Amino acid sequence: MKSDIEIALSAELKDIRDIAKCIGAGEDDIDMYGRHMAKLTDGFIDKIADNPDGKLILVTAINPTPAGEGKTTVTIGLGDALSLLGKKAVIALREPSLGPCFGVKGGAAGGGYSQVVPMDKLNLHFTGDFHAITSANNLLCAMLDNHLLQGNALRIDPARIKLKRCLDMNDRALRNIVIGLGKRMDGVTREDHFIITVATEVMAILCLSKDMDDLKARLSRMIVAYNYDNEPVTAKDLNAVGAMAALLKDALRPNVIQTIGGTPAIIHGGPFANIAHGCNSIRATRAALKAGDYVVTEAGFGADLGAEKFMDIKCRMAGISPDAVVLVATVRALKYNGGVPKTELEKENLPALEKGLSNLIGHMENLKKFGVPVIVTLNNFYSDTEAEIETVEKCCRDHGCEFTVSKVWEKGGEGGTALAELVLNAVDSGAADFKPLYDDSLYLEEKIEKICKEIYGAGNIIYSKEAKNSLKKISEMGYDSLPVCMAKTQYSFSDDPSLLGRPENFDMHISDAYISAGAGFVVVLTGDILTMPGLPKHPAAERVDVSDSNEITGLF
């Protein structure tokens, strides 16, 4: 069997102008980045603004495991399956980060015959959006430190600087650093920090902005530090907004590529779901809804993180709602949740599978709380047995969810037609009655409690002294009405990655909180969550190379 990148490189790609025609975009409506990638123009987005919205299908998954779940693979395969059934389908995805691409997780272009292409360019520099976001964030950092050196007219307290530099790479050595060493004109000496680009507020702002005016307004509200009077200092106070917007001008425009099956894919933005809100941009999703009849999108990591934030943050801000949700699981991942080690996952083990089904049940029950039809699909592996598949199917039926097996990795869109038919039935039934988990009017602690107890299954919520003080300050500043963005491990419903399955009545530890005033949400940190990941002992980067024929190898 060919590797993912071998399949992608051997695929026959259509000219991006032909793909653009599928969403109603002519040559004047796109700016081409080579023959197979393009950006939509602002004029095209304005031109389709009055089109009726298509139907929105969200793809999410159980908690991720080392066995892999294939959420993006199913998303892409479902889009291709809808196209095969004669529907005008568009896929809306996030852009991959270089951090996981060269770390553990690998790229984010799907897999097998269910991929977006060109996958090598997408997983690496793509159209430069992440570079622009990194540059805008670090420009703001440079202007802040220059302000400190040049007299500090804003009376910024160097010990209360909240803004961090960023890099789109897993580099743990940069988590905590000291800057400004050397001579006086080398800067003010202080402690500083790096986070990964996808965890920055600039990334969140780009993904939640409706247009350039909204982008600049959100950048203006970014709180970068506090002064000696404990008052916030913003990017606007540093006169940085115009230059940041200039760097982000092209990055604000969604990108268009294609699947192996020729379905248009609008790909834009990429905040992590465990430390940010985990969804592609509002502009990309809204453009897809105006350009297609059926839009398939995804939310990062498990449904406890990505789907909850999609519903409570993105839908709230974008004024959209899903018409159906697809919940992806694998037999292997469920057995892992049932206690089977990674090396034993290919062996049939019904008792462990039944134990691990608690994780799937938790996600099914949670998703129903949002009032949207839920369809479970089992991403098929060759080692799955009939008895295992029947066990999962019975569990889904018993909990009121439609079920089917997906074989899109092996067969592309053809392997997802059964799933597509179930999705069409659910969407066209009009059964969706979407509602977010909590009201804006609740206090921050009430919103945190709703998420921790109703979605995660926590018993007690334990706040650190820092978290209590931070939440009190945020409330005093008038930000109680904002939604909450929980920063939590993706591997468990709890804040402990080792608690698999469906832990209940555990203690949830809130370590701190901070306001992302530009993005428009409050970030709540749980447990020991890292905003700058590290590389494993043998990172994926060790296997990446360029062949004699100038092709990228080893990305997967």
Side-chain angles (χ1 to χ4, degrees), residues 244-266:
M244 292 174 72
L247 286 171
L248 296 170
K249 178 176 71 71
D250 290 332
L252 185 60
R253 296 160 51 204
N255 311 288
V256 182
I257 56 174
Q258 62 191 287
T259 68
I260 288 177
T263 301
I266 300 180

Side-chain angles (χ1 to χ4, degrees), residues 58-316:
L58 173 67
V59 179
T60 186
I62 62 174
N63 292 102
T65 71
E69 286 63 61
K71 172 163 50 66
T72 303
T73 300
V74 171
T75 301
I76 296 164
L78 174 57
D80 278 343
L82 289 167
S83 295
L84 285 176
L85 293 177
K87 305 301 180 182
K88 187 178 181 182
V90 181
I91 297 166
L93 295 173
R94 296 173 296 161
E95 299 178 48
S97 165
L98 291 177
C101 186
F102 290 129
V104 176
K105 186 172 178 289
Y113 289 90
S114 181
Q115 296 188 61
V116 281
V117 283
M119 71 87 85
D120 53 337
K121 290 182 172 61
L122 170 64
N123 276 308
L124 299 179
H125 303 289
F126 199 27
T127 59
D129 292 346
F130 281 22
H131 299 309
I133 292 165
T134 302
S135 297
N137 181 88
N138 291 344
L139 169 66
L140 181 58
C141 293
M143 293 181 72
L144 187 156
D145 280 297
N146 182 62
H147 184 88
L148 291 178
L149 180 69
Q150 304 291 353
N152 196 9
L154 294 172
R155 302 179 64 250
I156 294 171
D157 181 353
R160 301 201 64 208
I161 292 173
K162 302 301 180 182
L163 181 68
K164 297 177 176 65
R165 287 171 163 81
C166 72
L167 183 72
D168 190 35
M169 195 65 64
N170 293 358
D171 193 350
R172 60 168 57 86
L174 294 176
R175 288 172 185 164
N176 304 292
I177 61 172
V178 176
I179 63 172
L181 297 175
K183 300 177 181 179
R184 179 188 176 278
M185 291 309 294
D186 292 329
V188 174
T189 303
R190 69 178 182 87
E191 182 181 354
D192 200 3
H193 313 271
F194 268 81
I195 60 178
I196 193 165
T197 297
V198 289
T200 63
E201 186 174 2
V202 177
M203 172 65 82
I205 285 173
L206 182 100
C207 290
L208 294 170
S209 296
K210 298 178 178 64
D211 51 33
M212 177 56 73
D213 288 341
D214 191 23
L215 175 75
K216 292 169 74 172
R218 289 175 179 272
L219 292 173
S220 297
R221 296 195 294 268
M222 282 185 66
I223 296 174
V224 300
Y226 291 86
N227 64 20
Y228 288 111
D229 296 319
N230 203 25
E231 298 167 335
V233 178
T234 65
K236 180 180 180 181
D237 294 329
L238 289 170
N239 298 315
V241 173
M244 292 174 72
L247 286 171
L248 296 170
K249 178 176 71 71
D250 290 332
L252 185 60
R253 296 160 51 204
N255 311 288
V256 182
I257 56 174
Q258 62 191 287
T259 68
I260 288 177
T263 301
I266 300 180
I267 300 184
H268 195 217
F272 274 1
N274 59 340
I275 48 184
H277 72 285
C279 311
N280 69 319
S281 76
I282 284 178
R283 292 197 96 199
T285 302
R286 289 219 57 84
L289 286 168
K290 298 298 182 181
D293 294 332
Y294 295 90
V295 175
V296 187
T297 191
E298 70 170 353
F301 291 131
D304 56 319
L305 284 170
E308 184 274 317
K309 294 173 184 179
F310 181 92
M311 307 291 193
D312 285 322
I313 296 176
K314 181 172 179 175
C315 287
R316 197 185 301 261

